[in-house]
């Protein structure tokens, strides 16, 4: 946008971030129809599905705000890919996994999150998390 592309030294598109990082959550009373209509334009189905998958990874791994779990979700058409890493605080141990699936609804997004978490557990994420 600003025509400053030549000044970029390193793209951050490979960085894994905290679950739900950058997503905006808006909570509205269900019976407040007027406010629901006003904020409906803020809803992004793709971001919602990304967040659901990421949160499911964290839920299954029993993580939270202070647990070093990183994720990155990206779309290729209808296919959502979720990458995950669990690392020890000093970085000496790390477990990574990723999976992709066709995702069109909340249940499919959560299922992808469960799949990624299962791969993480198979690769030893629980041992890293228990040591924290």
């Amino acid at each position: 946008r600003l025509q400053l592309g030549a000044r970029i030294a390193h793209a951050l598109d490979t960085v894994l971030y905290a679950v739900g990082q950058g997503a905006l959550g808006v909570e509205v009373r269900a019976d407040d129809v007027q406010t629901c209509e006003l904020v409906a334009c803020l809803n992004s189905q793709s971001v919602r599905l990304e967040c659901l998958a990421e949160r499911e990874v964290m839920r299954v791994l029993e993580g939270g705000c202070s647990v070093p779990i990183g994720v990155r979700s990206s779309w290729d058409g209808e296919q959502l890919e979720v990458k995950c890493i669990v690392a020890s605080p000093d970085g000496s141990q790390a477990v990574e996994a990723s999976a992709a699936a066709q995702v069109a609804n909340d249940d499919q997004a959560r299922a992808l999150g469960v799949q990624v978490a299962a791969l993480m557990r198979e690769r030893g994420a629980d041992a890293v998390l228990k040591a924290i």
Side-chain angles (χ1 to χ4, degrees), residues 50-126:
E50 290 172 22
C51 287
L52 287 171
E54 293 173 7
R55 289 180 61 176
E56 196 66 12
V57 171
M58 186 171 65
R59 186 191 68 75
V60 172
L61 293 179
E62 299 177 26
C65 296
S66 62
V67 178
I69 296 175
V71 295
R72 178 164 182 78
S73 298
S74 59
W75 290 93
D76 184 8
E78 299 289 316
Q79 185 125 336
L80 176 60
E81 180 181 29
V82 178
K83 297 179 182 180
C84 182
I85 186 170
V86 170
S88 60
D90 66 1
S92 64
Q93 296 178 307
V95 176
E96 297 180 66
S98 67
Q102 295 283 96
V103 173
N105 60 49
D106 294 1
D107 290 338
Q108 291 172 338
R110 288 186 186 100
L112 178 57
V114 169
Q115 180 184 357
V116 173
L119 289 170
M120 293 293 290
R121 284 197 157 142
E122 287 174 15
R123 296 177 184 178
D126 286 337

Side-chain angles (χ1 to χ4, degrees), residues 1-10:
R1 271 187 340 218
L2 298 176
Q3 309 297 318
L4 299 175
R7 295 179 61 185
I8 298 172
H10 182 75

Side-chain angles (χ1 to χ4, degrees), residues 8-55:
I8 298 172
H10 182 75
L12 298 178
D13 58 354
T14 59
V15 174
L16 278 68
Y17 44 80
V19 170
Q21 189 72 40
L24 174 66
V26 177
E27 190 170 335
V28 178
R29 291 185 324 270
D31 64 348
D32 187 344
V33 176
Q34 182 180 10
T35 303
C36 287
E37 289 173 357
L38 284 171
V39 300
C41 64
L42 300 175
N43 186 42
S44 168
Q45 180 71 0
S46 61
V47 173
R48 175 186 173 81
L49 296 174
E50 290 172 22
C51 287
L52 287 171
E54 293 173 7
R55 289 180 61 176

